[in-house]
Amino acid sequence: MKKAKAQLNTIAALVFLLALKTFSAHAQISNDITHEDALKIILEAKKDAEETDVLVNIAVVDAGANLKAFIRMDASFLGSIDVAIKKAKTARYFNIDTGKLGELTQPGGIIYNIEHSNGGLVTFPGGIPIKNKEGKIIGAIGVSGGTIEQDRAIAIAGAKAIID
């Protein structure tokens, strides 16, 4: 009986490993951004920044708020690297435009001081959730280096790149 159980466990382990090997190339979940789309978004945002003569850092995070793509334009502010990444993460953590979130974080706001959570959030414009053609959020973009209005406009241009 023990021998039959051990053989069954071995067979189950082999089947599991075979299934893992077979499906590992297709582990991407349907609500996550692909690297192709992340690069398309980054390049569209960079193009928009160049057209408006703004030097920025641009970050794209995936559905899990992990950095997926990043570009630092030549001569952009070093301090904006972290801000761009945090804007993208903040937009994904709460699935909201960081500028809109910022309105809720002002003194007396319903989530005042939330920017001190999650290792530091950025609650001013420049972070936008990224949606696919079906309207599902698959990641977020963060832009930093221009004015908050410029950052937001560049982020929107990037986010729209995969749905236009």
Side-chain angles (χ1 to χ4, degrees), residues 54-76:
V54 181
L55 300 174
V56 293
N57 292 282
I58 308 163
V60 172
V61 297
D62 63 16
N66 302 295
L67 187 63
K68 188 77 172 197
F70 180 85
I71 191 166
R72 177 176 174 258
M73 294 176 68
D74 293 341
S76 63

PDB file of all heavy atoms in Angstrom, residues 54-76:
ATOM      1  N   VAL A  54       9.310  69.286 -23.160  1.00  0.00           N
ATOM      2  CA  VAL A  54       9.353  69.055 -21.725  1.00  0.00           C
ATOM      3  C   VAL A  54      10.241  67.836 -21.465  1.00  0.00           C
ATOM      4  O   VAL A  54      10.071  66.803 -22.102  1.00  0.00           O
ATOM      5  CB  VAL A  54       7.938  68.788 -21.154  1.00  0.00           C
ATOM      6  CG1 VAL A  54       7.994  68.584 -19.653  1.00  0.00           C
ATOM      7  CG2 VAL A  54       6.989  69.913 -21.495  1.00  0.00           C
ATOM      8  N   LEU A  55      11.178  67.967 -20.546  1.00  0.00           N
ATOM      9  CA  LEU A  55      12.064  66.861 -20.183  1.00  0.00           C
ATOM     10  C   LEU A  55      11.486  66.135 -18.976  1.00  0.00           C
ATOM     11  O   LEU A  55      11.333  66.735 -17.901  1.00  0.00           O
ATOM     12  CB  LEU A  55      13.460  67.385 -19.859  1.00  0.00           C
ATOM     13  CG  LEU A  55      14.160  68.116 -20.995  1.00  0.00           C
ATOM     14  CD1 LEU A  55      15.471  68.724 -20.521  1.00  0.00           C
ATOM     15  CD2 LEU A  55      14.394  67.163 -22.162  1.00  0.00           C
ATOM     16  N   VAL A  56      11.170  64.865 -19.166  1.00  0.00           N
ATOM     17  CA  VAL A  56      10.498  64.113 -18.103  1.00  0.00           C
ATOM     18  C   VAL A  56      11.085  62.715 -17.941  1.00  0.00           C
ATOM     19  O   VAL A  56      11.825  62.224 -18.785  1.00  0.00           O
ATOM     20  CB  VAL A  56       8.982  63.982 -18.380  1.00  0.00           C
ATOM     21  CG1 VAL A  56       8.280  65.319 -18.311  1.00  0.00           C
ATOM     22  CG2 VAL A  56       8.716  63.286 -19.696  1.00  0.00           C
ATOM     23  N   ASN A  57      10.690  62.103 -16.851  1.00  0.00           N
ATOM     24  CA  ASN A  57      10.905  60.685 -16.593  1.00  0.00           C
ATOM     25  C   ASN A  57       9.534  60.031 -16.724  1.00  0.00           C
ATOM     26  O   ASN A  57       8.522  60.599 -16.277  1.00  0.00           O
ATOM     27  CB  ASN A  57      11.454  60.469 -15.185  1.00  0.00           C
ATOM     28  CG  ASN A  57      12.863  61.006 -15.055  1.00  0.00           C
ATOM     29  OD1 ASN A  57      13.802  60.374 -15.489  1.00  0.00           O
ATOM     30  ND2 ASN A  57      12.991  62.198 -14.488  1.00  0.00           N
ATOM     31  N   ILE A  58       9.490  58.846 -17.333  1.00  0.00           N
ATOM     32  CA  ILE A  58       8.223  58.173 -17.588  1.00  0.00           C
ATOM     33  C   ILE A  58       8.332  56.740 -17.094  1.00  0.00           C
ATOM     34  O   ILE A  58       9.265  56.012 -17.463  1.00  0.00           O
ATOM     35  CB  ILE A  58       7.879  58.174 -19.089  1.00  0.00           C
ATOM     36  CG1 ILE A  58       7.953  59.598 -19.660  1.00  0.00           C
ATOM     37  CG2 ILE A  58       6.511  57.544 -19.330  1.00  0.00           C
ATOM     38  CD1 ILE A  58       8.043  59.647 -21.171  1.00  0.00           C
ATOM     39  N   ALA A  59       7.377  56.325 -16.267  1.00  0.00           N
ATOM     40  CA  ALA A  59       7.356  54.966 -15.726  1.00  0.00           C
ATOM     41  C   ALA A  59       6.024  54.305 -16.051  1.00  0.00           C
ATOM     42  O   ALA A  59       4.974  54.944 -15.987  1.00  0.00           O
ATOM     43  CB  ALA A  59       7.551  54.996 -14.212  1.00  0.00           C
ATOM     44  N   VAL A  60       6.072  53.036 -16.386  1.00  0.00           N
ATOM     45  CA  VAL A  60       4.864  52.236 -16.566  1.00  0.00           C
ATOM     46  C   VAL A  60       4.967  51.048 -15.623  1.00  0.00           C
ATOM     47  O   VAL A  60       6.000  50.368 -15.576  1.00  0.00           O
ATOM     48  CB  VAL A  60       4.710  51.748 -18.022  1.00  0.00           C
ATOM     49  CG1 VAL A  60       3.563  50.748 -18.138  1.00  0.00           C
ATOM     50  CG2 VAL A  60       4.479  52.922 -18.961  1.00  0.00           C
ATOM     51  N   VAL A  61       3.899  50.827 -14.855  1.00  0.00           N
ATOM     52  CA  VAL A  61       3.827  49.663 -13.973  1.00  0.00           C
ATOM     53  C   VAL A  61       2.756  48.713 -14.485  1.00  0.00           C
ATOM     54  O   VAL A  61       1.835  49.114 -15.193  1.00  0.00           O
ATOM     55  CB  VAL A  61       3.540  50.056 -12.503  1.00  0.00           C
ATOM     56  CG1 VAL A  61       4.677  50.904 -11.933  1.00  0.00           C
ATOM     57  CG2 VAL A  61       2.209  50.761 -12.345  1.00  0.00           C
ATOM     58  N   ASP A  62       2.892  47.455 -14.107  1.00  0.00           N
ATOM     59  CA  ASP A  62       1.924  46.443 -14.525  1.00  0.00           C
ATOM     60  C   ASP A  62       0.734  46.411 -13.563  1.00  0.00           C
ATOM     61  O   ASP A  62       0.636  47.257 -12.661  1.00  0.00           O
ATOM     62  CB  ASP A  62       2.599  45.080 -14.663  1.00  0.00           C
ATOM     63  CG  ASP A  62       3.169  44.532 -13.355  1.00  0.00           C
ATOM     64  OD1 ASP A  62       2.805  45.019 -12.259  1.00  0.00           O
ATOM     65  OD2 ASP A  62       3.983  43.590 -13.433  1.00  0.00           O
ATOM     66  N   ALA A  63      -0.129  45.430 -13.728  1.00  0.00           N
ATOM     67  CA  ALA A  63      -1.332  45.336 -12.897  1.00  0.00           C
ATOM     68  C   ALA A  63      -1.010  45.143 -11.418  1.00  0.00           C
ATOM     69  O   ALA A  63      -1.801  45.512 -10.555  1.00  0.00           O
ATOM     70  CB  ALA A  63      -2.226  44.193 -13.395  1.00  0.00           C
ATOM     71  N   GLY A  64       0.156  44.601 -11.123  1.00  0.00           N
ATOM     72  CA  GLY A  64       0.580  44.420  -9.737  1.00  0.00           C
ATOM     73  C   GLY A  64       1.382  45.579  -9.199  1.00  0.00           C
ATOM     74  O   GLY A  64       1.967  45.489  -8.123  1.00  0.00           O
ATOM     75  N   ALA A  65       1.450  46.681  -9.941  1.00  0.00           N
ATOM     76  CA  ALA A  65       2.183  47.901  -9.580  1.00  0.00           C
ATOM     77  C   ALA A  65       3.696  47.688  -9.581  1.00  0.00           C
ATOM     78  O   ALA A  65       4.438  48.402  -8.911  1.00  0.00           O
ATOM     79  CB  ALA A  65       1.709  48.476  -8.253  1.00  0.00           C
ATOM     80  N   ASN A  66       4.163  46.706 -10.362  1.00  0.00           N
ATOM     81  CA  ASN A  66       5.590  46.467 -10.515  1.00  0.00           C
ATOM     82  C   ASN A  66       6.088  47.214 -11.742  1.00  0.00           C
ATOM     83  O   ASN A  66       5.411  47.237 -12.770  1.00  0.00           O
ATOM     84  CB  ASN A  66       5.870  44.972 -10.696  1.00  0.00           C
ATOM     85  CG  ASN A  66       5.345  44.171  -9.532  1.00  0.00           C
ATOM     86  OD1 ASN A  66       5.809  44.317  -8.419  1.00  0.00           O
ATOM     87  ND2 ASN A  66       4.351  43.346  -9.795  1.00  0.00           N
ATOM     88  N   LEU A  67       7.275  47.799 -11.652  1.00  0.00           N
ATOM     89  CA  LEU A  67       7.831  48.547 -12.772  1.00  0.00           C
ATOM     90  C   LEU A  67       7.956  47.646 -13.990  1.00  0.00           C
ATOM     91  O   LEU A  67       8.540  46.579 -13.934  1.00  0.00           O
ATOM     92  CB  LEU A  67       9.195  49.132 -12.389  1.00  0.00           C
ATOM     93  CG  LEU A  67       9.824  50.081 -13.395  1.00  0.00           C
ATOM     94  CD1 LEU A  67       8.961  51.325 -13.589  1.00  0.00           C
ATOM     95  CD2 LEU A  67      11.224  50.473 -12.941  1.00  0.00           C
ATOM     96  N   LYS A  68       7.388  48.078 -15.104  1.00  0.00           N
ATOM     97  CA  LYS A  68       7.408  47.310 -16.351  1.00  0.00           C
ATOM     98  C   LYS A  68       8.284  47.981 -17.397  1.00  0.00           C
ATOM     99  O   LYS A  68       8.958  47.312 -18.168  1.00  0.00           O
ATOM    100  CB  LYS A  68       5.968  47.164 -16.874  1.00  0.00           C
ATOM    101  CG  LYS A  68       5.792  46.244 -18.032  1.00  0.00           C
ATOM    102  CD  LYS A  68       5.831  44.804 -17.587  1.00  0.00           C
ATOM    103  CE  LYS A  68       5.463  43.884 -18.728  1.00  0.00           C
ATOM    104  NZ  LYS A  68       5.103  42.574 -18.287  1.00  0.00           N
ATOM    105  N   ALA A  69       8.277  49.313 -17.438  1.00  0.00           N
ATOM    106  CA  ALA A  69       9.092  50.053 -18.402  1.00  0.00           C
ATOM    107  C   ALA A  69       9.393  51.429 -17.817  1.00  0.00           C
ATOM    108  O   ALA A  69       8.607  51.975 -17.046  1.00  0.00           O
ATOM    109  CB  ALA A  69       8.355  50.192 -19.727  1.00  0.00           C
ATOM    110  N   PHE A  70      10.543  51.975 -18.223  1.00  0.00           N
ATOM    111  CA  PHE A  70      10.951  53.275 -17.700  1.00  0.00           C
ATOM    112  C   PHE A  70      11.869  53.954 -18.708  1.00  0.00           C
ATOM    113  O   PHE A  70      12.663  53.290 -19.370  1.00  0.00           O
ATOM    114  CB  PHE A  70      11.699  53.133 -16.368  1.00  0.00           C
ATOM    115  CG  PHE A  70      12.138  54.442 -15.793  1.00  0.00           C
ATOM    116  CD1 PHE A  70      11.273  55.197 -15.023  1.00  0.00           C
ATOM    117  CD2 PHE A  70      13.401  54.943 -16.045  1.00  0.00           C
ATOM    118  CE1 PHE A  70      11.663  56.434 -14.508  1.00  0.00           C
ATOM    119  CE2 PHE A  70      13.805  56.164 -15.544  1.00  0.00           C
ATOM    120  CZ  PHE A  70      12.927  56.912 -14.772  1.00  0.00           C
ATOM    121  N   ILE A  71      11.750  55.269 -18.813  1.00  0.00           N
ATOM    122  CA  ILE A  71      12.691  56.044 -19.611  1.00  0.00           C
ATOM    123  C   ILE A  71      12.964  57.363 -18.903  1.00  0.00           C
ATOM    124  O   ILE A  71      12.052  57.994 -18.365  1.00  0.00           O
ATOM    125  CB  ILE A  71      12.189  56.280 -21.053  1.00  0.00           C
ATOM    126  CG1 ILE A  71      13.308  56.844 -21.914  1.00  0.00           C
ATOM    127  CG2 ILE A  71      10.959  57.160 -21.079  1.00  0.00           C
ATOM    128  CD1 ILE A  71      13.028  56.796 -23.391  1.00  0.00           C
ATOM    129  N   ARG A  72      14.237  57.722 -18.897  1.00  0.00           N
ATOM    130  CA  ARG A  72      14.641  59.026 -18.378  1.00  0.00           C
ATOM    131  C   ARG A  72      15.173  59.822 -19.556  1.00  0.00           C
ATOM    132  O   ARG A  72      16.190  59.470 -20.146  1.00  0.00           O
ATOM    133  CB  ARG A  72      15.727  58.894 -17.314  1.00  0.00           C
ATOM    134  CG  ARG A  72      16.202  60.239 -16.808  1.00  0.00           C
ATOM    135  CD  ARG A  72      17.220  60.110 -15.679  1.00  0.00           C
ATOM    136  NE  ARG A  72      17.692  61.451 -15.377  1.00  0.00           N
ATOM    137  CZ  ARG A  72      18.860  61.923 -15.793  1.00  0.00           C
ATOM    138  NH1 ARG A  72      19.690  61.181 -16.469  1.00  0.00           N
ATOM    139  NH2 ARG A  72      19.204  63.173 -15.507  1.00  0.00           N
ATOM    140  N   MET A  73      14.455  60.870 -19.919  1.00  0.00           N
ATOM    141  CA  MET A  73      14.908  61.712 -21.019  1.00  0.00           C
ATOM    142  C   MET A  73      16.196  62.413 -20.607  1.00  0.00           C
ATOM    143  O   MET A  73      16.373  62.763 -19.431  1.00  0.00           O
ATOM    144  CB  MET A  73      13.822  62.717 -21.401  1.00  0.00           C
ATOM    145  CG  MET A  73      12.572  62.048 -21.982  1.00  0.00           C
ATOM    146  SD  MET A  73      11.232  63.202 -22.346  1.00  0.00           S
ATOM    147  CE  MET A  73      11.938  64.120 -23.717  1.00  0.00           C
ATOM    148  N   ASP A  74      17.095  62.597 -21.570  1.00  0.00           N
ATOM    149  CA  ASP A  74      18.368  63.261 -21.301  1.00  0.00           C
ATOM    150  C   ASP A  74      18.116  64.618 -20.647  1.00  0.00           C
ATOM    151  O   ASP A  74      17.241  65.372 -21.070  1.00  0.00           O
ATOM    152  CB  ASP A  74      19.155  63.466 -22.604  1.00  0.00           C
ATOM    153  CG  ASP A  74      19.620  62.151 -23.207  1.00  0.00           C
ATOM    154  OD1 ASP A  74      19.666  61.141 -22.476  1.00  0.00           O
ATOM    155  OD2 ASP A  74      19.929  62.135 -24.406  1.00  0.00           O
ATOM    156  N   ALA A  75      18.878  64.893 -19.602  1.00  0.00           N
ATOM    157  CA  ALA A  75      18.848  66.154 -18.863  1.00  0.00           C
ATOM    158  C   ALA A  75      17.580  66.354 -18.019  1.00  0.00           C
ATOM    159  O   ALA A  75      17.371  67.437 -17.481  1.00  0.00           O
ATOM    160  CB  ALA A  75      19.062  67.355 -19.789  1.00  0.00           C
ATOM    161  N   SER A  76      16.745  65.331 -17.891  1.00  0.00           N
ATOM    162  CA  SER A  76      15.587  65.467 -17.004  1.00  0.00           C
ATOM    163  C   SER A  76      16.061  65.411 -15.552  1.00  0.00           C
ATOM    164  O   SER A  76      17.157  64.947 -15.258  1.00  0.00           O
ATOM    165  CB  SER A  76      14.558  64.373 -17.280  1.00  0.00           C
ATOM    166  OG  SER A  76      15.120  63.100 -17.010  1.00  0.00           O
TER     167      SER A  76
END
